[in-house]
């Protein structure tokens, strides 16, 4: 009924908060005919759940998904409050492939689906396998594959968009895998063989024979640089199974990793990993703009040999600007986060006057629509450091990545730069990974990067 005298009427349309919702049409990409019973959701669901839901045409639960009606229409007026202004929407229907698209709120959408492809993977080997699926074209759909039925060596995923996919054994540090082409409306089968594994066991001991408290281990494959983290018990004992190959052993304390011994091979008997006597303390006196440099992320990485230590520097509380680290003799890259200062010989007590500048990194994704945004993390890593230490390609960005938000109108990110030269912009985003080379000269105040994300 009408409001009584003195009661407020409906708020004017202009004063109402905008609805956090989307609506639109789902149709066949080839025939343009509407698709009833399509499932539209804002979180990529597990394949097993998709199979169960799509088999039930009566399923409808707005907490999880929207279901298109007989005319292919869907609508929801209220999405979860934690969704950002633009987000990834997923759509799938019986007989059709996943579709992932970045959308904004309160928009009318047309979602076109293509016939699905199905991938079946079987793994031969003695250990329970883990299989991952990757795709540059469809990065949002990349995932670890679910087991198929009761057979732990069989994996199957349906509703895949046509394209080229990489299938990799995550449980194999040697990097075995295959590249497969998934075709629309067809079943693609691939068989992988796990390499035989050998036991690798032993003890980690401090210099002098006692247990090394608070340590863990990492074994890094000498050719693929894949890491295997291994727990160490209170007595210093460890055991794992690794494929044949040569591995570098690292004792890990926090973020710092110290190389121990020569390359090791599984199946060669018990190991005794002993870091040995402490290396000579190196003291670096660092100044910036006439005063002592103050930083919490200073580190060094040896560059005259691959697969060597990555160490973080400790400030000397009695002397501002002085940092201490026990380093084996060699040439080390000095960095602050991923800001590269250059190469210094250690051990020693060098004094360096640093002159940093801030670089504006301008990210461009030119084909985004108005209001559409892409979120992610990136790191600017010096190319010479990655060429000398390719194993750091993933380690440094993982430790020091910076968040960004990019839109059609571009976005700028302030990045400290220690030295001009060739860098690699690496990172992850809503639409997939990226890796772009950037050449920086000393006079550039802004570098513009056009990122290619998922083929866009």
């Amino acid at each position: 009924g009408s409001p009584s005298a003195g009661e407020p009427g409906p708020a004017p349309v202009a004063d109402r908060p905008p609805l956090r919702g989307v609506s639109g049409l789902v149709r066949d990409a080839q025939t343009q005919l509407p698709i009833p019973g399509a499932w539209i959701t804002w979180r990529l669901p597990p394949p097993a759940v998709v199979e169960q839901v799509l088999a039930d045409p009566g399923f409808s639960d707005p907490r999880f998904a929207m279901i298109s009606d007989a005319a292919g229409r869907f609508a929801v007026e209220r999405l979860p409050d934690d969704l950002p202004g633009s987000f990834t929407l997923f759509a799938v229907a019986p007989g059709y492939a996943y579709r992932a698209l970045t959308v904004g709120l309160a928009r009318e959408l047309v979602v076109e689906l293509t016939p699905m492809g199905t991938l079946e993977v079987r793994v031969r080997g003695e250990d329970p396998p883990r299989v991952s699926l990757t795709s540059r074209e469809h990065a949002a759909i990349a995932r670890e594959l679910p087991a198929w039925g009761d057979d732990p060596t069989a994996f199957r995923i349906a509703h895949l968009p046509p394209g080229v996919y990489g299938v990799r054994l995550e449980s194999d540090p040697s990097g075995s895998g295959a590249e497969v082409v998934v075709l629309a409306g067809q079943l693609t089968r691939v068989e992988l063989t796990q390499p035989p594994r050998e036991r690798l066991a032993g003890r980690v001991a401090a210099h002098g024979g006692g247990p090394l408290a608070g340590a863990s281990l990492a074994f890094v494959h000498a050719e693929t640089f894949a890491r295997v983290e291994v727990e160490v018990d209170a007595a210093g004992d460890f055991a794992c199974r690794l494929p044949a190959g040569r591995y570098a052993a690292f004792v890990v304390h926090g973020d710092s990793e110290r190389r121990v011994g020569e390359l090791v091979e599984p199946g060669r008997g018990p190991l005794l990993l002993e870091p040995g006597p402490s290396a000579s303390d190196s003291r670096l006196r660092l100044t910036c703009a006439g005063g002592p440099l103050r930083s919490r992320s200073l580190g060094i990485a040896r560059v005259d040999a691959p697969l060597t230590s990555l160490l973080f520097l400790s400030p000397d509380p009695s002397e501002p600007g002085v940092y201490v680290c026990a380093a084996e003799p060699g040439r080390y890259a000095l960095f602050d986060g991923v800001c590269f200062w250059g190469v210094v010989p250690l051990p020693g007590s060098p004094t360096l006057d640093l002159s940093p500048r801030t670089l504006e990194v301008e990210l461009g994704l030119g084909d985004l629509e108005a209001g559409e945004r892409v979120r992610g993390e990136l790191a600017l890593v010096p190319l010479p450091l990655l060429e000398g230490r390719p194993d750091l390609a993933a380690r440094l960005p993982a430790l020091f990545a910076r968040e960004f938000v990019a839109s059609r109108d571009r976005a700028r990110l302030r990045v400290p730069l220690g030295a001009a030269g060739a860098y690699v912009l690496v990172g992850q985003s809503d639409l997939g990974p990226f890796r772009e080379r950037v050449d920086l000269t000393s006079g550039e105040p802004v570098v513009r990067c056009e990122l290619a994300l998922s083929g866009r």
Side-chain angles (χ1 to χ4, degrees), residues 81-260:
D81 292 336
D82 61 348
L83 284 180
S86 65
F87 58 96
T88 302
L89 194 71
F90 299 93
V92 66
Y96 289 90
Y98 282 113
R99 173 76 188 280
L101 64 161
T102 303
V103 302
L105 296 172
R107 287 183 49 200
E108 180 72 12
L109 305 174
V110 175
V111 182
E112 294 188 338
L113 302 182
T114 58
M116 75 174 185
T118 302
L119 177 64
E120 182 180 308
V121 181
R122 291 191 175 270
V123 181
R124 296 184 180 275
E126 57 189 62
D127 292 326
R130 289 174 47 235
V131 179
S132 67
L133 183 73
T134 59
S135 170
R136 185 172 178 84
E137 300 170 83
H138 312 291
I141 299 172
R143 59 169 57 201
E144 188 169 322
L145 290 182
W148 181 28
D150 297 329
D151 185 352
T153 68
F155 302 82
R156 182 184 177 104
I157 182 170
H159 305 286
L160 283 178
V164 179
Y165 291 85
V167 181
R168 183 178 182 275
L169 278 171
E170 288 294 319
S171 47
D172 177 16
S174 61
S176 59
E179 188 175 84
V180 297
V181 178
V182 176
L183 301 177
Q186 295 189 24
L187 170 64
T188 302
R189 290 189 173 95
V190 62
E191 185 174 285
L192 302 178
T193 300
Q194 272 193 338
R197 293 178 170 239
E198 298 286 349
R199 178 179 169 84
L200 184 63
R203 172 168 293 187
V204 183
H207 182 60
L212 194 62
S216 61
L217 283 177
F219 291 100
V220 180
H221 195 275
E223 296 179 1
T224 66
F225 309 119
R227 293 169 59 88
V228 178
E229 307 286 345
V230 178
E231 294 184 359
V232 178
D233 66 19
D237 294 324
F238 69 90
C240 61
R241 290 169 58 85
L242 296 175
R246 299 188 304 161
Y247 296 83
F250 291 84
V251 174
V252 181
H253 284 277
D255 292 325
S256 291
E257 304 168 358
R258 188 178 299 276
R259 172 79 180 273
V260 185

Side-chain angles (χ1 to χ4, degrees), residues 88 102 135-142 365 374-377 404 426-435 451-456:
T88 302
T102 303
S135 170
R136 185 172 178 84
E137 300 170 83
H138 312 291
I141 299 172
L365 296 107
V374 173
R375 289 168 171 78
E377 294 182 338
F404 72 88
V426 295
Q428 293 281 343
S429 77
D430 295 338
L431 298 179
F434 56 87
R435 184 184 178 103
L451 301 183
L453 303 177
S454 301
R456 301 179 62 178

